[in-house]
Amino acid sequence: MNPLVLPGVYAPQEDTELLAGALSDEPLPPGAEVLDVGTGSGALALEAARRGLRVTAVDVSWGAVLAARLNARLAGLRVRIRHGNLFGPVRGETFDLILANPPYVPAPDGHRAPRGAARAWDAGGDGRMVVDRICREAPALLRPGGVLLLVQSALSGPDLTVAQLRAAGLKAAVTRRQRIAFGPVLRGRERWLRERGLLSADEDKEELVVVRAEFPV
């Protein structure tokens, strides 16, 4: 998973790999419709397209849209790529699978809308600015039997994500977990996260999780 990454576009990292592993576990038939929301460089969209799936990718960043289009062309893969905020470009459509790697890092200045590259990780004071929207809006885009795969940090409340998706009528659970070393963003906020009680005094790794939610048939 080594796509071209343009300046200011989120590069594939451990969360991308974790979500790619969850994608590989899904038994989708060729031609199934997949939505990759917040596609970044398009890494996950390309993984899905390589399986013969019909893929739509969306990102709010024009740089990400350009990067994803370039990577799809370089890989010789057909991916429909749209610019827009979350599900805006695909209103009225439904999918067999939705992939989401949203921003999920709590930010000290969470009352301000993130700008530039920070839009890929900053998500308000509780890290749920975008995750909550996905929980509210994604169920309406899933077909019967359709699946949402969402990756987030344990710092941003995966239990709440599961609860919200269950309340929307989906069967939801955490299906993958991985602990990773703090990256540059978390290292820069480590003291603030400990003061807020989001990190314990001896905690030196971040836990990433994949939440899987299925729309009942």
Side-chain angles (χ1 to χ4, degrees):
M1 187 181 295
N2 296 300
L4 173 69
V5 178
L6 300 181
V9 176
Y10 187 74
Q13 298 181 43
E14 289 95 337
D15 51 3
T16 316
E17 295 288 348
L18 191 63
L19 194 53
L23 167 62
S24 70
D25 288 343
E26 292 297 325
L28 294 165
E33 297 271 4
V34 176
L35 173 65
D36 180 22
V37 62
T39 193
S41 64
L44 289 165
L46 299 185
E47 287 291 309
R50 289 187 183 99
R51 290 179 53 180
L53 307 175
R54 299 176 63 186
V55 183
T56 299
V58 175
D59 205 289
V60 72
S61 162
W62 275 112
V65 169
L66 176 59
R69 287 175 176 168
L70 287 172
N71 284 316
R73 180 173 296 181
L74 290 170
L77 294 169
R78 189 180 185 89
V79 179
R80 183 177 66 146
I81 302 167
R82 297 288 182 264
H83 174 260
N85 193 331
L86 281 185
F87 305 113
V90 293
R91 293 292 180 202
E93 300 182 41
T94 57
F95 299 89
D96 300 294
L97 177 69
I98 297 174
L99 300 168
N101 184 359
Y104 51 68
V105 179
D109 54 350
H111 61 285
R112 297 182 182 177
R115 301 180 64 183
R119 290 184 298 178
W121 55 81
D122 280 356
D126 60 1
R128 298 192 58 85
M129 180 185 294
V130 181
V131 172
D132 282 341
R133 284 189 58 194
I134 292 172
C135 291
R136 289 194 304 268
E137 299 176 26
L141 279 75
L142 288 174
R143 296 170 179 169
V147 170
L148 166 69
L149 295 174
L150 180 148
V151 65
Q152 68 175 96
S153 172
L155 298 173
S156 51
D159 289 344
L160 181 55
T161 300
V162 170
Q164 289 181 352
L165 291 168
R166 287 177 177 174
L170 277 61
K171 297 184 290 184
V174 171
T175 55
R176 283 179 174 246
R177 298 179 183 269
Q178 180 181 350
R179 295 183 66 81
I180 64 169
F182 293 161
V185 175
L186 254 62
R187 285 198 301 270
R189 297 176 187 175
E190 187 174 345
R191 180 176 177 179
W192 176 78
L193 290 166
R194 294 192 195 284
E195 289 173 349
R196 287 202 63 197
L198 294 173
L199 284 174
S200 63
D202 59 349
E203 200 168 358
D204 62 355
K205 291 186 182 296
E206 178 188 15
E207 184 177 44
L208 300 177
V209 307
V210 172
V211 174
R212 182 185 188 273
E214 183 174 349
F215 194 100
V217 177

